[in-house]
Amino acid sequence: MELKLHKSICFFDLETTGINISKDRIVEISIFKVNPDQSKESKTWRVNPEIPIPKESSLIHGIYDKDVVDAPTFKEIAPQVLEMIKDSDLSGYNSNRFDIPLLAEELLRNGFEFDIKKHRPIDVQVIFHKMEPRNLSAAYKFYCDKNLENAHSASADTYATYEILKAQLEKYEDIQNDVKFLHEFTMQNKNADLAGFVGIDKDEDEVFNFGKYKGKKLKNVFLSDLGYYSWLMNADFPLYSKKIFTRAKLKSVL
């Protein structure tokens, strides 16, 4: 089935230095354009972000500083990007929350105008999530072929979760019937606190996942900037996170 188009649509994806829309930079942009007559064109640019690419980001997309050292800056390719998306709608996967905002930020930062009103955004991820619910009732139907009666009652939900886990263990050979394995498999990020403000680096040290000291070890920061600890404790962070901050501060002075 071909798309019914009254104007061109550009599907695009960004690889970036990180996920902070206001601070991170594009290291690769790829655009696939479909025109109303069904003709197609595509273009991919590697981009020198003019800041170091964090190792954790490079490990995800495979683009390292050495790969973009001779690449053009975003300011240099921006006119080509704008020409390609001109008079086109925009689509991507999670593009409404990430790719489009970051693209707009890069354009405005470099002195180019961007008006989303000229580009109707279509986020394929939103369609996926709306059409294929990922809630407990949907999981119960998928794995156990049962309808969840009394959904959102604690008793029904907890028993359904138990049944779903057993069904998952039967369905997937790669998932081991072992609590240690299941714990590690379901931990999406390795964090020291529950809210994800404090991560664990390759040295197994606690590091900040946010703010001006993002990526820095807590113990080193608290040694050099005691005022930052005071600010953290007075700010609106979860109590468990504050517990981790305090533990790290005590370790820094031992």
Side-chain angles (χ1 to χ4, degrees):
M1 179 183 294
E2 296 291 352
L3 294 173
K4 295 180 181 179
L5 302 174
H6 299 290
K7 62 188 292 190
S8 299
I9 182 170
C10 287
F11 297 85
F12 80 104
D13 184 65
L14 305 178
E15 303 300 342
T16 65
T17 60
I19 58 173
N20 187 312
I21 290 169
S22 62
K23 295 182 179 179
D24 280 305
R25 303 287 191 268
I26 295 171
V27 297
E28 186 174 77
I29 175 171
S30 185
I31 302 176
F32 179 73
K33 186 173 185 177
V34 183
N35 299 306
D37 64 0
Q38 300 306 316
S39 62
K40 302 171 180 68
E41 55 185 302
S42 63
K43 178 69 176 178
T44 298
W45 295 269
R46 283 279 174 91
V47 182
N48 185 335
E50 301 182 276
I51 62 173
I53 305 173
K55 183 179 179 181
E56 56 267 29
S57 297
S58 294
L59 289 172
I60 293 172
H61 50 55
I63 302 172
Y64 293 80
D65 290 330
K66 62 181 177 61
D67 299 318
V68 294
V69 65
D70 295 322
T73 64
F74 185 80
K75 188 172 186 177
E76 292 174 311
I77 69 161
Q80 300 174 66
V81 172
L82 286 170
E83 179 64 26
M84 196 163 185
I85 68 173
K86 181 180 66 175
D87 301 323
S88 298
D89 293 322
L90 295 174
S91 181
Y93 194 86
N94 194 33
S95 50
N96 287 356
R97 292 193 299 173
F98 182 71
D99 298 82
I100 291 174
L102 199 147
L103 176 62
E105 196 73 13
E106 284 275 43
L107 288 167
L108 295 172
R109 184 186 297 117
N110 287 284
F112 297 91
E113 282 300 315
F114 180 82
D115 186 355
I116 191 58
K117 294 179 181 178
K118 297 179 180 179
H119 312 275
R120 290 174 298 187
I122 300 173
D123 194 328
V124 174
Q125 185 191 63
V126 173
I127 296 174
F128 173 45
H129 287 173
K130 285 188 174 182
M131 299 307 294
E132 301 292 340
R134 290 298 186 261
N135 55 29
L136 185 62
S137 295
Y140 198 49
K141 182 65 177 177
F142 180 81
Y143 287 108
C144 303
D145 196 25
K146 299 178 183 178
N147 293 318
L148 179 55
E149 305 295 339
N150 300 317
H152 301 299
S153 72
S155 177
D157 288 357
T158 51
Y159 188 74
T161 304
Y162 162 69
E163 288 201 294
I164 289 169
L165 178 56
K166 291 195 299 178
Q168 288 173 327
L169 291 169
E170 291 182 7
K171 183 176 181 65
Y172 304 115
E173 292 182 0
D174 293 340
I175 296 184
Q176 301 173 23
N177 192 353
D178 175 79
V179 169
K180 182 176 184 294
F181 173 87
L182 293 170
H183 161 68
E184 293 175 352
F185 187 81
T186 57
M187 290 295 290
Q188 293 180 310
N189 297 297
K190 193 173 183 180
N191 294 317
D193 67 335
L194 300 175
F197 289 110
V198 183
I200 304 292
D201 67 9
K202 57 181 177 60
D203 301 319
E204 296 296 314
D205 287 330
E206 296 160 344
V207 295
F208 285 105
N209 280 340
F210 69 95
K212 63 180 181 179
Y213 292 120
K214 185 177 180 179
K216 303 293 185 182
K217 297 179 189 293
L218 271 65
K219 61 183 181 182
N220 293 342
V221 170
F222 292 151
L223 276 173
S224 61
D225 189 352
L226 280 176
Y228 195 61
Y229 171 76
S230 297
W231 175 79
L232 291 169
M233 299 308 290
N234 287 309
D236 189 24
F237 288 100
L239 292 176
Y240 193 88
S241 299
K242 290 184 177 182
K243 174 182 175 181
I244 302 300
F245 297 149
T246 299
R247 185 178 69 188
K249 178 180 178 295
L250 292 174
K251 286 183 180 179
S252 71
V253 297
L254 292 178

